[in-house]
């Protein structure tokens, strides 16, 4: 591997919808740079990038993969990413450490929903981006249509550097407006021949070249003046101005390629080499404590772990970016998240599944190490005496939740243990042991996401997992008021149990009037762990119930609120006023009043117009124009309330409020309706009243279960 300083590094991530050709393009780039002697293919299952059994089986990229190639004077670190939004976590973590995004578009399909998804994160991380319209050799390739869609969606900053002289099955030539030359390729692809631009294309190429010159001139002092005086800039001046414009995200160049036929990939690599910013040219990274960190090899060492992966016979592999300093084997670093000291016993650079040992990695470079004791994704590790912590990556909320089970309790223990290991690798996966729902819930990004986790469990851990619809965390409340009294009396020889309570149960809301005609001796407003409040009023006078039983009475009420009378769901927003009762000098005790309070609350709740509440989620759907009607039709069957619609390019954005109970299979249904060309996000909004007919069914179902 060539020695490099930070200015000789280029970190790029390839992004795009599934089947845009990212993996094939990377394979070709590795071949062009001499990193591999022979190109593999996705179909033959022998690419450097897609190297896991699951990826071979599916024929798709599922995990992000780190690779590198030496090109001219620079080292190009490249990360391939999945195109399905079920695996968005791999995209987010890869973008976190990239300095340039390569957004790959399918020339036959145009801008697809996967591209929309990654663009959100490119903008969020303010990453310089290069667009590549790939698969120009496809029979249905349409450069102009794809470019128009991209400009419509991503803005006028998209400026073509190239365009195909002939596209489709006869594609073999690219006109490059930046270098004012035509590249003509052999039929089988490979090294092109430089030719003069045909006369019929000169006007178009000149206009494109002038647009690039203007972009360059705007970003370097004196260049604009020279441009106006002389009408042109030297290649060096042009490159200097364009480098600044790209680094500042003032323009996004557009290239054309056929990754499959190795046409245009070398020119793309040359542009990355010449123009794409090195880590040294990127802005200082903001730290969680408000400070900054620059890519300085002479500074003290800081690294950021962006991905972890478990491998058989190896254990946990940690992938990281060196943010400052120079990292060497044997270095000891302190984890800023947990204070643990980690010794970097081995240091590698990754070429897909292969890891090559190195003696050092400098600021800006990507690398890997193994068997950290307590190093996880999103962790910052520092040299001793350094206090830095990188802002953590934020991942989207889950869009699917399934209850999971196995054949036996011992298998369940193995299952949960294995899931926690996969959860460590995948921050978008969450395992929840829900005491409320009495289920183990697996949260993920989509059915495909969870299905692949299931396959991994079978193949890697020998554990089977069954899916079922998870229960819904309903809430119970009341809309009226009722008086209730309850006497608990038990005599079984010796001391017995006795407690009698009179209470008023009513709906609680902020700012409600205090109860009248009662002497309020104590008032507690409790924030319930599951949301909502309990307002507890103690209005006993004359010693009918001793004050020492207040705690037991509140405990009895809370226990009943934890398992509500309607469906066994948590109760919330209730005011309980205890105003009378009786006690016995011998038989009264804490348990007596706890049980009396529970019984009185249950009785009062049932007679105070009880209502069931259900969780409502705000859902945002992005779908192609032509599928909007079908998507809206499906939403109507889910009790959805449409709150807004808007156009985004050739997509429609639909905003809706949907009960969680209606979202069980939504991802699969949406994929089926739109042929995988739509995406959605969902976020908890609020609890709302369940319709009467739905409540009736749920209560009856609960009663039948109780009887059973």
């Amino acid at each position: 591997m060539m020695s490099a300083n930070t200015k000789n590094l280029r970190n790029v991530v390839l992004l795009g919808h599934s089947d845009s050709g990212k993996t094939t393009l990377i394979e070709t780039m590795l071949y062009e740079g001499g990193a591999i002697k022979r190109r593999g293919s996705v179909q033959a299952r022998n690419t450097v990038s897609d190297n896991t059994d699951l990826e071979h089986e599916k024929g798709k990229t599922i995990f992000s993969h780190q690779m590198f190639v030496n090109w001219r004077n620079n080292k190009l670190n490249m990360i391939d990413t999945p195109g399905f939004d079920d695996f968005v976590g791999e995209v987010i973590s890869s973008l976190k450490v990239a300095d340039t995004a390569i957004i790959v578009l399918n020339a036959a399909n145009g801008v697809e929903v996967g591209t929309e998804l990654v663009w959100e994160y490119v903008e969020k991380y303010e990453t310089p981006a290069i667009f590549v319209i790939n698969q120009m050799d496809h029979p249905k390739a349409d450069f102009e249509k794809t470019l128009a869609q991209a400009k419509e969606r991503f803005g006028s900053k998209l400026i073509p550097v190239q365009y195909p002289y002939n596209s489709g099955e006869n594609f073999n030539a690219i006109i490059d407006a930046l270098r004012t030359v035509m590249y003509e390729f052999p039929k089988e692809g490979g090294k092109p021949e430089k030719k003069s631009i045909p006369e019929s294309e000169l006007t178009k190429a000149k206009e494109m070249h002038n647009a690039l010159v203007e972009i360059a001139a705007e970003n370097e002092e004196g260049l604009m003046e020279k441009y106006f005086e002389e009408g042109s800039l030297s290649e060096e001046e042009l490159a200097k101005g364009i480098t600044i414009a790209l680094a500042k995200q003032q323009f996004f160049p557009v290239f054309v390629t056929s990754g499959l036929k190795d046409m245009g990939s070398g020119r793309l690599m040359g542009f990355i080499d010449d123009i794409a910013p090195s880590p040294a040219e990127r802005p200082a990274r903001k730290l969680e404590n408000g400070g900054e960190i620059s890519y300085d090899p002479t500074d003290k060492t800081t690294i950021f772990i962006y991905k972890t992966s478990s491998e058989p016979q190896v254990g946990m592999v940690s992938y990281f970016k060196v943010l400052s300093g120079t990292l060497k084997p044997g270095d000891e670093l302190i984890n800023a998240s947990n204070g643990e000291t980690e010794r970097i016993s081995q240091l590698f650079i990754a070429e897909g599944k292969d890891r090559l040992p190195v003696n050092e990695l400098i600021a800006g470079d990507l690398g890997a190490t193994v068997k950290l004791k307590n190093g996880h994704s999103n962790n910052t590790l520092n040299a001793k005496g350094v206090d830095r912590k990188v802002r953590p990556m934020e991942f989207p909320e889950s869009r699917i939740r399934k209850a999971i089970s196995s054949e036996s309790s011992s298998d369940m223990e193995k299952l949960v243990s294995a899931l926690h290991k996969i959860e460590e690798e995948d921050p978008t996966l969450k395992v929840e042991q829900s005491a409320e729902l009495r289920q183990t819930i697996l949260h993920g990004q989509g059915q495909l996401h969870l299905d692949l986790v299931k396959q991994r469990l079978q193949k890697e851990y020998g554990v089977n997992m069954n899916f079922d619809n998870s229960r819904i965390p309903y809430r119970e409340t009341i809309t009226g008021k009722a008086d209730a009294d309850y006497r608990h009396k038990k005599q079984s020889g010796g001391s017995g149990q006795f407690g009698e309570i009179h209470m008023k149960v009513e709906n609680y809301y902020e700012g409600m009037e205090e109860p009248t005609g009662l002497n309020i001796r104590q008032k507690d407003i409790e924030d319930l762990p599951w949301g909502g409040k309990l307002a507890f009023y103690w209005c006993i006078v004359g010693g009918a119930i001793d004050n020492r039983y207040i705690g037991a009475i509140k405990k009895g009420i809370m226990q009943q609120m934890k398992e509500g009378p309607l469906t066994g769901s948590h109760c919330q927003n209730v005011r309980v006023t205890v105003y009378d009762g009786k006690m016995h000098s011998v038989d009264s005790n804490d348990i007596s009043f706890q049980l009396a309070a529970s019984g009185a609350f249950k009785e009062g709740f049932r007679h105070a117009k009880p209502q069931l509440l259900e969780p409502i989620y705000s859902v945002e759907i992005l779908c192609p124009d032509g599928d909007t009607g079908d998507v809206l039709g499906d939403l109507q069957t889910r009790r959805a309330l449409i709150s807004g619609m808007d156009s985004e390019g050739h997509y429609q954005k639909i905003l809706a409020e949907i009960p969680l109970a209606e979202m069980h299979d939504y991802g699969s249904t949406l994929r089926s309706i739109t042929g995988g060309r739509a995406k959605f996000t969902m976020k908890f909004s609020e609890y709302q009243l369940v319709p009467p007919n739905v409540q009736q069914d749920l209560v009856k179902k609960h009663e039948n279960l109780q009887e059973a």
Side-chain angles (χ1 to χ4, degrees):
M1 189 196 83
M2 68 171 65
S3 61
N5 61 43
T6 300
K7 289 184 178 180
N8 295 123
L9 294 170
R10 303 288 184 271
N11 298 313
V12 302
V13 57
L14 274 76
L15 310 168
H17 192 83
S18 183
D19 292 330
S20 59
K22 301 181 298 295
T23 300
T24 301
L25 183 58
I26 275 197
E27 189 78 4
T28 299
M29 292 166 77
L30 292 171
Y31 175 73
E32 280 281 347
I36 56 176
K37 301 298 182 186
R38 183 180 176 186
R39 287 197 299 158
S41 72
V42 173
Q43 291 74 22
R45 303 175 181 177
N46 60 353
T47 61
V48 174
S49 177
D50 291 356
N51 53 58
T52 68
D53 290 342
L54 276 175
E55 288 169 319
H56 292 161
E57 184 179 327
K58 298 295 181 183
K60 307 284 184 187
T61 304
I62 295 170
F63 308 102
S64 63
H65 297 284
Q66 190 186 112
M67 291 151 284
F68 78 95
V69 63
N70 296 317
W71 183 260
R72 297 177 187 164
N73 300 317
N74 296 327
K75 179 190 176 193
L76 275 59
N77 290 315
M78 301 184 290
I79 306 176
D80 191 13
T81 61
F84 285 114
D85 61 347
D86 284 50
F87 311 113
V88 65
E90 302 282 344
V91 171
I92 293 170
S93 59
S94 301
L95 256 173
K96 180 76 172 178
V97 296
D99 300 304
T100 304
I102 310 296
I103 300 176
V104 184
L105 305 176
N106 184 323
N109 297 338
V111 175
E112 299 173 272
V113 72
T115 320
E116 304 267 358
L117 176 74
V118 300
W119 181 250
E120 292 177 19
Y121 295 104
V122 169
E123 288 191 306
K124 179 179 178 179
Y125 286 122
E126 298 180 337
T127 308
I130 298 169
F131 283 78
V132 177
I133 300 179
N134 189 34
Q135 300 188 42
M136 288 308 311
D137 57 313
H138 192 283
K140 294 182 179 178
D142 191 330
F143 172 79
E144 295 296 342
K145 182 180 177 182
T146 302
L147 178 63
Q149 286 181 357
K151 282 191 169 187
E152 183 182 17
R153 177 61 187 92
F154 309 122
S156 59
K157 291 180 181 178
L158 269 73
I159 306 293
V161 170
Q162 305 174 324
Y163 67 93
Y165 180 57
N166 48 4
S167 58
E169 292 173 299
N170 295 321
F171 173 67
N172 74 330
I174 297 171
I175 291 176
D176 192 302
L178 185 60
R179 290 190 167 170
T180 58
V181 69
M182 184 171 82
Y183 296 102
E184 188 173 277
F185 296 88
K187 187 175 181 180
E188 66 280 3
K191 187 176 177 63
E193 182 182 348
K194 290 184 182 179
K195 291 189 172 183
S196 299
I197 295 175
E199 194 171 335
S200 61
E201 303 297 320
L202 281 174
T203 301
K204 181 177 179 180
K206 183 66 174 174
E207 287 175 357
M208 289 172 57
H209 181 78
N210 288 343
L212 295 168
V213 171
E214 287 181 20
I215 289 166
E218 288 171 1
N219 283 281
E220 183 65 13
E221 193 175 340
L223 288 186
M224 184 62 81
E225 186 177 337
K226 182 182 178 186
Y227 173 56
F228 282 133
E229 286 178 1
E230 301 180 13
S232 65
L233 297 175
S234 68
E235 190 171 324
E236 186 179 330
E237 291 165 334
L238 194 54
K240 191 174 183 181
I242 283 179
T243 298
I244 297 169
L246 178 63
K248 291 182 176 180
Q249 301 101 59
Q250 291 176 348
F251 103 116
F252 304 107
V254 182
F255 284 78
V256 295
T257 61
S258 165
L260 183 64
K261 291 190 175 179
D262 188 8
M263 296 181 183
S265 52
R267 174 68 181 105
L268 173 63
M269 293 171 74
F271 186 86
I272 294 168
D273 182 76
D274 294 336
I275 306 297
S278 70
E281 293 161 323
R282 296 286 285 134
R285 187 182 289 269
K286 304 287 185 183
L287 298 174
E288 199 173 43
N289 61 7
E292 292 183 341
I293 184 172
S294 298
Y295 294 101
D296 181 358
T298 65
D299 194 1
K300 289 192 174 181
T301 303
T302 294
I303 70 172
F304 177 75
I305 301 173
Y306 74 94
K307 173 185 169 74
T308 53
S309 175
S310 177
E311 293 187 15
Q313 286 83 50
V314 177
M316 200 61 74
V317 181
S318 302
Y319 295 89
F320 59 84
K321 186 176 189 179
V322 183
L323 301 182
S324 70
T326 300
L327 183 66
K328 297 180 179 180
D331 284 355
E332 290 191 345
L333 303 177
I334 311 297
N335 192 320
S337 297
N338 53 39
E340 291 277 350
T341 299
E342 298 281 5
R343 185 175 185 274
I344 309 297
S345 57
Q346 296 172 285
L347 203 55
F348 304 99
I349 51 175
E351 193 72 282
K353 66 180 177 181
D354 296 328
R355 287 183 295 276
L356 312 176
V358 291
N359 295 322
E360 66 175 32
L361 288 171
I362 62 167
D365 213 345
L366 304 182
T369 190
V370 295
K371 297 179 180 176
L372 295 181
K373 290 185 300 180
N374 204 9
H376 310 284
S377 295
N378 251 340
N379 284 177
T380 306
L381 276 60
N382 297 305
K384 292 178 181 177
V386 177
D387 181 21
R388 297 171 180 149
K389 192 174 182 182
V390 174
R391 290 177 180 174
M393 298 175 282
E394 296 176 0
F395 297 94
E397 293 193 24
S398 63
R399 298 177 301 168
I400 187 173
R401 54 203 299 277
K402 289 286 185 182
I404 58 170
S405 61
S406 59
E407 302 303 320
S408 66
S409 58
S410 60
D411 283 350
M412 192 65 186
E413 287 180 18
K414 293 177 188 175
L415 171 61
V416 172
S417 174
L419 278 173
H420 282 308
K421 291 177 182 177
I422 297 176
E423 185 183 25
E424 163 72 17
E425 301 175 45
D426 184 354
T428 64
L429 192 74
K430 181 183 174 187
V431 184
E432 177 194 2
Q433 305 270 17
S434 176
E436 175 187 352
L437 302 178
R438 300 181 185 89
Q439 289 179 315
T440 300
I441 311 292
L442 189 60
H443 301 259
Q445 293 301 308
Q447 190 60 51
L448 177 62
H449 188 198
L450 298 191
D451 285 344
L452 283 165
V453 170
K454 183 176 182 177
Q455 281 187 258
R456 285 192 65 186
L457 288 167
Q458 291 169 336
K459 289 178 179 292
E460 297 174 27
Y461 299 94
V463 181
N464 291 317
M465 176 171 66
N466 302 318
F467 288 131
D468 196 4
N469 286 339
S470 57
R471 300 182 184 117
I472 303 300
Y474 292 105
R475 296 287 180 264
E476 298 181 17
T477 192
I478 49 179
T479 57
K481 61 179 70 174
D483 285 288
D485 57 81
Y486 190 91
R487 174 182 288 184
H488 173 71
K489 186 176 181 180
K490 185 178 180 183
Q491 199 73 39
S492 57
S495 297
Q497 293 179 359
F498 180 86
E500 183 177 320
I501 290 177
H502 297 241
M503 66 171 62
K504 182 186 292 290
V505 179
E506 58 192 318
N507 173 242
Y508 173 78
Y509 55 90
E510 296 285 349
M512 69 186 298
E513 293 182 359
E514 300 285 43
T516 57
L518 295 171
N519 189 346
I520 302 171
R521 310 293 295 275
Q522 183 174 324
K523 171 182 171 181
D524 299 326
I525 308 295
E526 303 277 356
D527 287 312
L528 300 170
W530 52 83
K533 295 181 186 294
L534 163 66
F536 178 82
Y537 284 66
W538 182 254
C539 300
I540 296 290
V541 292
I545 303 176
D546 200 284
N547 285 354
R548 71 176 184 270
Y549 295 123
I550 291 175
I553 291 169
K554 279 178 65 177
K555 185 176 181 181
I557 292 168
M558 287 286 282
Q559 283 181 340
Q560 190 59 58
M561 290 186 77
K562 205 169 185 179
E563 193 166 340
L566 289 181
T567 61
S569 305
H570 294 337
C571 301
Q572 64 182 38
N573 298 332
V574 179
R575 182 165 78 179
V576 176
T577 305
V578 180
Y579 60 85
D580 201 1
K582 292 179 183 178
M583 63 180 181
H584 190 276
S585 58
V586 175
D587 291 346
S588 289
N589 51 31
D590 280 356
I591 190 64
S592 301
F593 277 104
Q594 188 177 318
L595 292 169
S598 178
F601 178 85
K602 186 175 183 178
E603 185 70 19
F605 193 95
R606 286 187 179 278
H607 290 91
K609 297 181 181 177
Q611 288 279 351
L612 203 58
L613 302 170
E614 64 181 340
I616 303 295
Y617 276 68
S618 295
V619 181
E620 182 180 301
I621 305 148
L622 201 65
C623 66
D625 285 333
D627 296 321
T628 306
D630 291 337
V631 171
L632 289 171
D634 175 71
L635 291 177
Q636 286 180 345
T637 69
R638 299 176 185 273
R639 296 192 283 127
L641 175 66
I642 307 301
S643 55
M645 290 184 65
D646 196 11
S647 294
E648 288 198 5
H650 59 298
Y651 283 84
Q652 284 289 326
K653 181 195 284 186
I654 302 170
L655 305 176
E657 302 292 310
I658 309 177
L660 179 61
E662 305 292 344
M663 293 294 291
H664 281 308
D665 61 346
Y666 188 65
S668 300
T669 301
L670 184 65
R671 180 166 285 163
S672 175
I673 290 173
T674 65
R677 295 179 299 154
K679 68 164 187 168
F680 77 100
T681 57
M682 56 186 284
K683 187 175 184 179
F684 173 74
S685 175
E686 61 180 343
Y687 272 89
Q688 291 182 6
L689 293 175
V690 169
N693 62 315
V694 177
Q695 176 167 322
Q696 189 176 352
D697 290 343
L698 289 168
V699 171
K700 189 172 182 179
K701 184 179 178 182
H702 179 68
E703 289 172 350
N704 291 338
L705 283 171
Q706 294 295 96
E707 288 176 12

